[in-house]
Amino acid sequence: MSAEVLDGKKISKEIQAEIKERVAAFVATFDHTPTLAAVLVGEDPASQVYVRNKERACERAGIHSQLFRMSAQSTTEDVLELVQQLNEDPAVNGILVQLPLPPSVDSQVVLDAVHPIKDVDAFHPTNVGLISQGRPQFLPCTPHGIIQMLKRYGIQANGKNVVIVGRSDIVGKPMALMLANRDIGLGPEMANATVTLCHSRTSDLKAMTRMGDILIAAMGQPEFITGDMVKPGAVVVDVGINRTDAGLVGDVDYEGVLPVASYLTPVPGGVGPLTVTMLLENTLTATGLQRAAISS
Ligand code: GUN
């Protein structure tokens, strides 16, 4: 048996085409183009690539994007000043501060300063709290992308054992909250899972990962999840993007897991494209929320 490979590029194209139509309808109705402001501090090469990909995706969907570059020597106050300016600019609907920020900048302080109604990453404590309570305003891009991918391949989460490895604020923690809730707006079949959140201190990790009907690898360790750690027939989602001497690899040993799993996401071309796509979705959502706030 060999797993079916989940095609993130194909699903992304599908969703981006839907978003493009919704953006066009919004522009026709309200005469305002949804606008995303991206803040890039420093010269991190991977961040430059991510931001460029996000800009291109915006352009394809008819969303206006603005890039604000700041020097690696910027202070927390410098970045806060820009964020404040973007918060107050009615032309800007979404604000994305690309991570990681340089050591001279306090990421927490900066992310907390983004207005929750423009917080298209869903990193603000207000948005995290709303997700936790099962009534999100925005869904974080990578976890949302994963759920969209599963949904569009007809893979349900309801009643399944989902094992997540990695407890980051960007992926692991919000993913656990979203899947454990009753319904976060994507249908009860894409929630209601029994979730186990594993991390570096988990004892007997292999016993845990082997319980997963759906196994989500998001700990940033190249090819860490090997075939023997996977329950036969499991759905395996690889969130890792690791640059190694051998090139770009995920957190899953792709060749080793392929014969064991029923479905597997590749790296690249799996979860990555969906993360960018869901940012477009959130920018459109933010634009709608701001429009509603103006007219109420
Ligand atoms: N760096 C890595 N992933 C992300 C993300 O989802 N959003 C932002 N802003 N930065 C990131």
Side-chain angles (χ1 to χ4, degrees):
M1 194 185 78
S2 184
E4 181 176 345
V5 177
L6 298 174
D7 187 345
K9 280 194 205 157
K10 187 186 97 180
I11 301 292
S12 275
K13 266 194 185 160
E14 220 174 272
I15 302 174
Q16 286 191 17
E18 294 165 15
I19 294 172
K20 186 176 178 176
E21 279 190 19
R22 287 163 52 210
V23 169
F26 186 93
V27 174
T29 310
F30 297 108
D31 194 27
H32 169 85
T33 303
T35 298
L36 175 70
V39 179
L40 179 58
V41 188
E43 312 289 335
D44 180 63
S47 291
Q48 311 254 0
V49 174
Y50 292 142
V51 167
R52 201 175 318 126
N53 287 343
K54 288 168 186 177
E55 282 188 294
R56 286 202 192 120
C58 280
E59 204 176 306
R60 283 198 300 274
I63 291 172
H64 183 223
S65 71
Q66 300 174 353
L67 174 59
F68 295 84
R69 288 179 179 274
M70 300 186 78
S71 101
Q73 277 72 49
S74 303
T75 63
T76 304
E77 285 67 33
D78 296 333
V79 184
L80 277 179
E81 197 179 316
L82 174 59
V83 167
Q84 210 51 51
Q85 186 188 314
L86 297 171
N87 278 340
E88 287 164 16
D89 184 347
V92 170
N93 303 114
I95 302 171
L96 173 138
V97 181
Q98 184 63 37
L99 301 177
L101 289 166
S104 56
V105 180
D106 187 330
S107 305
Q108 197 78 70
V109 169
V110 168
L111 296 179
D112 285 0
V114 173
H115 194 291
I117 207 170
K118 296 190 176 186
D119 174 34
V120 287
D121 266 323
F123 290 164
H124 192 281
T126 296
N127 285 319
V128 176
L130 290 171
I131 295 161
S132 160
Q133 293 181 348
R135 50 185 189 121
Q137 174 168 253
F138 298 106
L139 294 173
C141 300
T142 301
H144 187 191
I146 291 168
I147 296 184
Q148 283 294 341
M149 174 122 83
L150 298 178
K151 186 180 171 104
R152 286 165 191 253
Y153 271 94
I155 301 163
Q156 301 200 351
N158 185 14
K160 302 263 176 69
N161 286 332
V162 176
V163 177
I164 302 167
V165 189
R167 56 179 155 182
S168 70
D169 289 337
I170 299 182
V171 182
K173 269 191 259 176
M175 185 86 262
L177 288 172
M178 288 160 70
L179 288 169
N181 261 305
R182 290 178 194 280
D183 186 356
I184 42 143
L186 301 173
E189 76 282 6
M190 299 317 298
N192 291 302
T194 302
V195 178
T196 306
L197 183 56
C198 301
H199 47 74
S200 50
R201 304 285 176 94
T202 297
S203 51
D204 201 354
L205 180 64
K206 184 169 145 182
M208 293 292 173
T209 57
R210 283 186 68 90
M211 291 195 328
D213 303 313
I214 299 174
L215 175 61
I216 300 175
M219 67 296 213
Q221 299 279 343
E223 300 179 317
F224 185 87
I225 301 291
T226 45
D228 60 325
M229 298 173 78
V230 174
K231 178 178 177 177
V235 175
V236 180
V237 176
D238 189 352
V239 186
I241 302 178
N242 306 289
R243 285 170 178 78
T244 69
D245 293 342
L248 202 66
V249 299
D251 288 353
V252 174
D253 168 16
Y254 185 83
E255 295 302 331
V257 169
L258 202 60
V260 183
S262 60
Y263 293 94
L264 175 60
T265 67
V267 176
V271 173
L274 281 150
T275 297
V276 178
T277 301
M278 302 332 292
L279 177 67
L280 307 179
E281 171 80 31
N282 283 353
T283 304
L284 183 54
T285 302
T287 312
L289 287 171
Q290 286 153 49
R291 176 61 49 179
I294 292 168
S295 40
S296 66

